[in-house]
Amino acid sequence: MVAVEVVEVTDELKNTYDVVVIGGGAAGLSGALMLTRARRSVVVIDAGAPRNAPASGVHGLLAREGIGPAELVERGRAEVRGYGGQVVSGEVGTVAREETGFQVALTDGRSVRARRLLLATGLVDELPDVPGLRSRWGRDVVHCPYCHGWEIRDQAIGVLGSGPLSVHQALLFRQWSDDVTFFSHTLPSPAGEEAEQLAARGIRVVDGEVASLEIVDDRLVGVRLTDGSVVKREALAVASRMVARTGLLSALGLRAVEHPSGGGEHIPSDATGRTEVPGVWVAGNVTDLAAQVGGAAAAGAVAAAQINADLIAEETRQAVAARARGEVPFSPEMESRVCEAVLGDRRHGL
């Protein structure tokens, strides 16, 4: 006989979880999956604003090459729910420290307590103020050669000078096309070693500020400068300023700082995702600005394993103390029944 476990999908939050995961992308869902398989009570709170939503597919992800971002998330949610975890839609407004953990308040009035937090809120791409840029983002205006390079291979590619990584970006995209033009835009024209590198790779440099993009039949066909001239291009690479979504944790003293690359702001952490705030881990783009989907998912799994180990250490200390007092420790099954009974009494006002 085959045993079938029925998993109820609900947005009704329990009072307390071992771990609340804030952010439901690759990092958050991967972390939640690892934790639910470790028999932890977990809820993922997802505001539904993924960074890669405009992209047609996720690339470089083994065994899931080209999968749509929305489909990947739905598969991940189903896997987390399949092990008893919850995934609820909502936006976290505040997070506060309590004696035994954290109070997580949603903007719709709901709230929940957590023993540990996994922050996987991702980042926001801040783009240069060029008309037409945002609406083409993720289509023919791109940022990552490993995410989009194959799709725009052998095309006429422009690279917009927008920050300290722009020349490096131009050199990278040269791997996918021999027709690359660097627009200095608001930056000084490349000089010295950078100019020498661009020239050696056959990358043309166009000085002057970019005024807008030329779009014909819903396709990028050129870049217009403020002097009125148009340089024909089929794709444009832009190094956005990447800023971690972290405002909700400011009350805990956890703030974003400038990334060593100069490409934006992130939350520092150790190799496991542990932050300087006890009980809080981070994973994905919120701490690693350059992480792709596969790397973000891996980081979520690593952080989850460390969170579980941290909880086990705490529970072991409590068990040792209880044993020293002569108390009989609960088995996991007994503890679960007692918790359910207590919560049931509270729900019925007893």
Side-chain angles (χ1 to χ4, degrees), residues 1-319:
M1 188 173 83
V2 178
V4 178
E5 182 179 359
V6 177
V7 177
E8 182 182 1
V9 177
T10 176
D11 270 5
E12 182 179 351
L13 291 171
K14 301 176 184 177
N15 181 58
T16 302
Y17 295 84
D18 289 327
V19 185
V20 169
V21 180
I22 305 175
L29 289 173
S30 178
L33 179 62
M34 184 70 80
L35 287 161
T36 55
R37 284 178 52 82
R39 310 186 74 176
R40 293 295 178 186
S41 58
V42 180
V43 62
V44 179
I45 301 175
D46 186 15
R51 179 193 186 195
N52 63 356
S56 60
V58 174
H59 299 291
L61 184 61
L62 186 64
R64 287 290 180 265
E65 167 60 32
I67 187 172
E71 181 184 353
L72 182 67
V73 167
E74 285 307 310
R75 286 182 179 228
R77 287 180 170 184
E79 290 174 353
V80 170
R81 286 168 171 154
Y83 286 98
Q86 281 184 272
V87 183
V88 303
S89 297
E91 184 177 353
V92 174
T94 60
V95 179
R97 168 79 67 183
E98 293 188 330
E99 184 177 353
T100 59
F102 305 91
Q103 175 86 18
V104 180
L106 280 65
T107 56
D108 61 11
R110 292 180 292 174
S111 66
V112 62
R113 289 180 170 85
R115 297 172 63 192
R116 301 292 187 273
L117 293 177
L118 175 56
L119 180 66
T121 50
L123 60 79
V124 174
D125 290 292
E126 295 182 349
L127 299 177
D129 187 18
V130 175
L133 207 63
R134 173 63 67 177
S135 63
R136 310 302 302 182
W137 185 242
R139 302 168 65 188
D140 39 29
V141 174
V142 301
H143 71 293
C144 172
Y146 302 105
C147 302
H148 307 285
W150 177 263
E151 284 64 42
I152 62 173
R153 67 193 184 280
D154 298 324
Q155 294 183 18
I157 300 173
V159 177
L160 184 68
S162 58
L165 300 177
S166 294
V167 169
H168 173 66
Q169 189 179 40
L171 294 170
L172 284 176
F173 273 97
R174 177 62 178 80
Q175 175 65 23
W176 281 265
S177 173
D178 59 8
D179 185 0
V180 177
T181 296
F182 180 79
F183 295 90
S184 62
H185 189 42
T186 56
L187 298 180
S189 182
E193 185 179 3
E194 287 187 336
E196 184 179 7
Q197 291 173 341
L198 293 172
R201 295 291 283 158
I203 299 173
R204 177 190 175 196
V205 175
V206 174
D207 292 327
E209 189 171 348
V210 171
S212 63
L213 306 185
E214 294 291 299
I215 309 299
V216 175
D217 296 330
D218 198 32
R219 296 183 63 181
L220 175 66
V221 297
V223 173
R224 180 177 294 276
L225 303 178
T226 53
D227 64 7
S229 61
V230 176
V231 180
K232 292 182 179 180
R233 296 289 92 183
E234 298 169 281
L236 183 66
V238 180
S240 63
R241 177 169 172 77
M242 300 170 283
V243 180
R245 294 189 180 107
T246 59
L248 58 93
L249 285 181
S250 59
L252 299 177
L254 194 60
R255 301 180 185 278
V257 300
E258 191 69 21
H259 192 272
S261 69
E265 297 178 358
H266 75 135
I267 292 292
S269 69
D270 68 11
T272 71
R274 188 191 299 265
T275 72
E276 62 184 13
V277 175
V280 180
W281 273 257
V282 289
N285 286 141
V286 71
T287 184
D288 183 357
L289 300 182
Q292 295 178 274
V293 171
V302 169
Q306 293 298 315
I307 291 171
N308 185 55
D310 191 55
L311 287 168
I312 288 173
E314 178 183 275
E315 291 158 355
T316 301
R317 289 192 298 271
Q318 293 170 346

Side-chain angles (χ1 to χ4, degrees), residues 328-350:
V328 178
F330 283 165
S331 68
E333 292 78 11
M334 292 175 62
E335 187 173 6
S336 176
R337 292 193 195 104
V338 170
C339 288
E340 284 299 316
V342 171
L343 290 174
D345 288 346
R346 289 176 179 172
R347 282 194 292 268
H348 292 90
L350 301 177

